[in-house]
Amino acid sequence: MKKGKDNFIYKSCLIASLLIFIWAVFFKEGFEFMVNNFLEWISNNVSWFYSALMISFFIFCIWLAFSKFRNIKLGDDDSKPEFSNITWFAMLFSAGIGIGLVFWGVAEPLTHYIKPEGMEGLTEGAKVFAFKKVFLHWGISAWACYSILALALAYMHFRKKKPALISSLLIPLIGDKGATGAIGKTVDILTIFATIAGIVTSLGMGTLQINSGLNYLFGIPENKLIQTSIIVIITCLFLISACTGVKKGIKYLSNLNMLLAVMLLIAAMIVGPFNEMVYNLFVGIKHYAIALVGENNNIFQSGNWYKQWTLFYWGWWIAWAPFVAIFIARVSKGRTIKEFIGGVLCVPAGFCLIWFAVFGTIGMNVPHNVAEKAIEKVETTFFVIFENYPMGLAISILAIILLFTFFITSADSATYVLAMIASNGNNNPKNSRKIILGIIQSALTLALLFAGGLSMVQNASILMALPFGVIMLFTMIAFRKELYNSEIKNSICYEKQINNKKINNKIKEKYLEDKAN
């Protein structure tokens, strides 16, 4: 049964990926028309669902962190974490953030500052708006999306001994037979395509920014040949990392990635206005926190700005959730629910807020004419801005290196997870499967880039997030049911057994006493 399911999911993935590739490459106009129309329908009819989901993830995480289940371990009661806190945080950071941190670090807050929604740009009010929104898109609300799925999966896999598959999360609702049957197979296939859509978005953005950075700094041309070469080189590197496994290549590269990111952050703090960075961080957090109980909980937001930014981000986070969740679950054995939520929800989100406060301030601190020129092309915004700072060239080169390592760590994690799903949740999938699925990711990245550029890869994540968002909604319901059924009922039964044992001992003692008399 497992072997059949294994082959069915794997073969379905290969066939569907090939069809999408052919459609995007050889029938470009029809593919683009379909994607754009479907996206327009989502924007006009169900965008509220994305906002409602993100709010529910955040509320569910807070409830779990303070609930009676907070001290339950993700594994047996005596299990210990496999990785140190620093390595664990590095893996969370590398798998969960990806290239977007460098791509949008300067570009997003600067764009919001110049073109805010419903107000004049380049003002103090616009600055508050910029940090409030960028903190929304990259803060705790976003990381709650990962936390829910990863936590439920780690619980089901390590504590309940179920396969490390998204379909396992629905067992409390549909049973073991349902999870291994048609419903489970459909869920796992959708997981694969949501994963591919999310990672293709990140890889596409990274390829464009690497190419644009090399062009801006060294005059290397921007064309399909260079972009293809970048993807081929990166593909070879991330496949080598993925094939060495979690405890070797992925672990070491994640630590390297974290080190390079911290180096880039410190360099930006040194050359930029540090006091203003700190001020913008706290002002941004203040207004972000206020907005969490106000405008950001309005699920019926609409308008072009919302569709272009917040809807894209919610779709991107949800599309990234399956592969990031499976990877985070894989490296989180032995943690308690409270420790897990604190680590996954707060530490990476806190780093993101600091990152955007620093690089957003860097962008806003240049002359207005330079800032307006910089956002004309988001792929080169980072490099245009840092040209106006000391050590700008060195920092830009470090950013390109970080883009490469982010590219590798995101793709190797995704490839490992895809191979796990296609191997029925096996924690040690075959290298041949990793190689084939890794090549599929890269091929689809090229196909979408050539079909419509950055907008096409962004749209892909929003589209795949819709069906997977429904799965995540049922996951929360199933996880709550499983916690109550397994943990509370087991505790009650255990207490009854103890009480019965005490009663039996008393009866036995009374019997022996009567017999002696």
Side-chain angles (χ1 to χ4, degrees), residues 10 239 243 415 419 429-439:
Y10 181 56
L239 287 178
C243 289
T415 302
K430 297 176 183 176
N431 284 339
S432 60
R433 209 154 272 199
K434 295 177 189 175
I435 291 170
I436 292 171
L437 292 168
I439 291 172

Side-chain angles (χ1 to χ4, degrees), residues 12-165:
S12 298
C13 172
L14 296 182
I15 293 169
S17 298
L18 178 62
L19 292 175
I20 292 172
F21 180 82
I22 293 171
W23 191 9
V25 172
F26 298 104
F27 304 95
K28 176 182 171 181
E29 292 183 1
F31 182 78
E32 190 172 3
F33 177 80
M34 187 279 298
V35 170
N36 290 338
N37 275 274
F38 193 20
L39 181 65
E40 186 67 20
W41 180 85
I42 288 175
S43 300
N44 293 333
N45 295 282
V46 293
S47 60
W48 61 269
F49 179 66
Y50 290 73
S51 294
L53 272 178
M54 299 302 288
I55 294 166
S56 65
F57 297 151
F58 177 71
I59 294 172
F60 196 63
C61 277
I62 299 302
W63 172 73
L64 279 172
F66 294 97
S67 71
K68 64 187 75 177
F69 308 111
R70 62 186 179 275
N71 293 317
I72 293 172
K73 279 200 172 182
L74 303 176
D76 299 327
D77 290 334
D78 59 349
S79 59
K80 304 292 182 184
E82 287 184 90
F83 303 98
S84 67
N85 285 337
I86 293 177
T87 297
W88 186 52
F89 292 145
M91 287 181 169
L92 301 182
F93 174 80
S94 297
I97 298 175
I99 292 162
L101 205 61
V102 180
F103 189 94
W104 293 113
V106 177
E108 185 182 350
L110 185 58
T111 302
H112 299 339
Y113 176 55
I114 295 173
K115 299 177 181 179
E117 183 188 27
M119 67 179 71
E120 184 182 351
L122 301 169
T123 63
E124 285 301 310
K127 187 179 292 186
V128 170
F129 173 85
F131 285 111
K132 176 177 67 176
K133 288 300 182 182
V134 80
F135 286 4
L136 168 68
H137 296 155
W138 292 85
I140 291 177
S141 301
W143 281 86
C145 179
Y146 292 165
S147 299
I148 290 301
L149 208 60
L151 179 60
L153 191 64
Y155 177 87
M156 293 299 291
H157 181 55
F158 292 120
R159 194 166 181 88
K160 309 305 291 185
K161 314 306 179 188
K162 302 298 182 182
L165 296 169

Side-chain angles (χ1 to χ4, degrees), residues 84 109 130 148 240 284 385 417:
S84 67
I148 290 301
I240 292 171
I385 292 298
V417 167

Side-chain angles (χ1 to χ4, degrees), residues 195-487:
T195 297
I196 290 175
I199 199 66
V200 159
T201 304
S202 189
L203 300 187
M205 291 193 307
T207 301
L208 292 174
Q209 191 174 28
I210 290 170
N211 193 185
S212 297
L214 293 174
N215 172 262
Y216 190 83
L217 298 174
F218 307 113
I220 295 174
E222 290 185 78
N223 54 43
K224 293 180 179 180
L225 176 62
I226 298 299
Q227 291 165 8
T228 302
S229 300
I230 291 170
I231 289 179
V232 169
I233 292 169
I234 297 294
T235 300
C236 294
L237 294 174
F238 79 66
L239 287 178
I240 292 171
S241 175
C243 289
T244 58
V246 174
K247 295 184 179 181
K248 293 182 180 178
I250 294 176
K251 172 184 173 181
Y252 297 137
L253 275 174
S254 295
N255 285 327
L256 173 63
N257 204 40
M258 189 71 184
L259 176 63
L260 291 174
V262 171
M263 288 173 58
L264 184 62
L265 185 65
I266 292 173
M269 289 179 176
I270 291 172
V271 302
F274 182 75
N275 290 339
E276 191 176 341
M277 292 172 182
V278 174
Y279 175 79
N280 287 336
L281 173 64
F282 284 103
V283 168
I285 290 174
K286 171 189 170 183
H287 288 277
Y288 164 55
I290 294 171
L292 274 179
V293 294
E295 65 184 87
N296 289 337
N297 277 343
N298 176 14
I299 66 173
F300 298 107
Q301 298 176 76
S302 60
N304 290 330
W305 191 95
Y306 171 76
K307 293 177 184 178
Q308 183 181 357
W309 288 102
T310 304
L311 179 60
F312 158 65
Y313 271 112
W314 291 167
W316 192 17
W317 286 101
I318 292 171
W320 263 56
F323 108 76
V324 175
I326 293 174
F327 184 79
I328 290 176
R330 169 64 184 84
V331 299
S332 299
K333 181 181 180 180
R335 312 257 173 198
T336 64
I337 288 179
K338 178 175 64 177
E339 181 185 7
F340 179 93
I341 290 177
V344 177
L345 205 62
C346 300
V347 176
F351 187 90
C352 286
L353 300 191
I354 294 170
W355 182 279
F356 279 98
V358 169
F359 286 98
T361 304
I362 287 278
M364 295 173 189
N365 201 52
V366 300
H368 291 170
N369 63 316
V370 175
E372 289 173 343
K373 177 188 174 184
I375 66 166
E376 289 176 1
K377 187 178 181 182
V378 293
E379 293 94 327
T380 56
T381 300
F382 185 100
F383 309 108
V384 174
I385 292 298
F386 271 95
E387 195 175 38
N388 296 269
Y389 284 91
M391 302 191 304
L393 178 61
I395 291 173
S396 293
I397 292 172
L398 179 59
I400 291 177
I401 295 172
L402 183 58
L403 282 168
F404 270 101
T405 60
F406 261 135
F407 206 141
I408 295 168
T409 52
S410 297
D412 64 9
S413 303
T415 302
Y416 171 81
V417 167
L418 287 172
M420 277 181 60
I421 299 169
S423 303
N424 199 37
N426 183 0
N427 283 338
N428 297 295
K430 297 176 183 176
N431 284 339
S432 60
R433 209 154 272 199
K434 295 177 189 175
I435 291 170
I436 292 171
L437 292 168
I439 291 172
I440 285 174
Q441 288 179 95
S442 298
L444 288 176
T445 301
L446 281 172
L448 290 175
L449 276 178
F450 297 163
L454 180 59
S455 63
M456 186 59 67
V457 296
Q458 289 178 330
N459 293 347
S461 63
I462 298 175
L463 297 185
M464 279 309 304
L466 181 58
F468 200 80
V470 175
I471 294 171
M472 292 183 71
L473 177 62
F474 282 107
T475 293
M476 285 192 290
I477 297 170
F479 186 39
R480 183 181 181 279
K481 180 179 179 181
E482 181 64 28
L483 285 174
Y484 274 99
N485 286 346
S486 295
E487 304 301 333

Side-chain angles (χ1 to χ4, degrees), residues 1-13 165 179-182 184-186 188-189 192 421-425 430 433:
M1 183 67 178
K2 287 185 178 181
K3 185 68 176 176
K5 182 181 179 183
D6 179 347
N7 288 333
F8 180 84
I9 294 172
Y10 181 56
K11 290 176 180 177
S12 298
C13 172
L165 296 169
T180 56
K185 291 175 184 177
T186 302
D188 290 331
I189 291 171
I192 288 177
I421 299 169
S423 303
N424 199 37
K430 297 176 183 176
R433 209 154 272 199

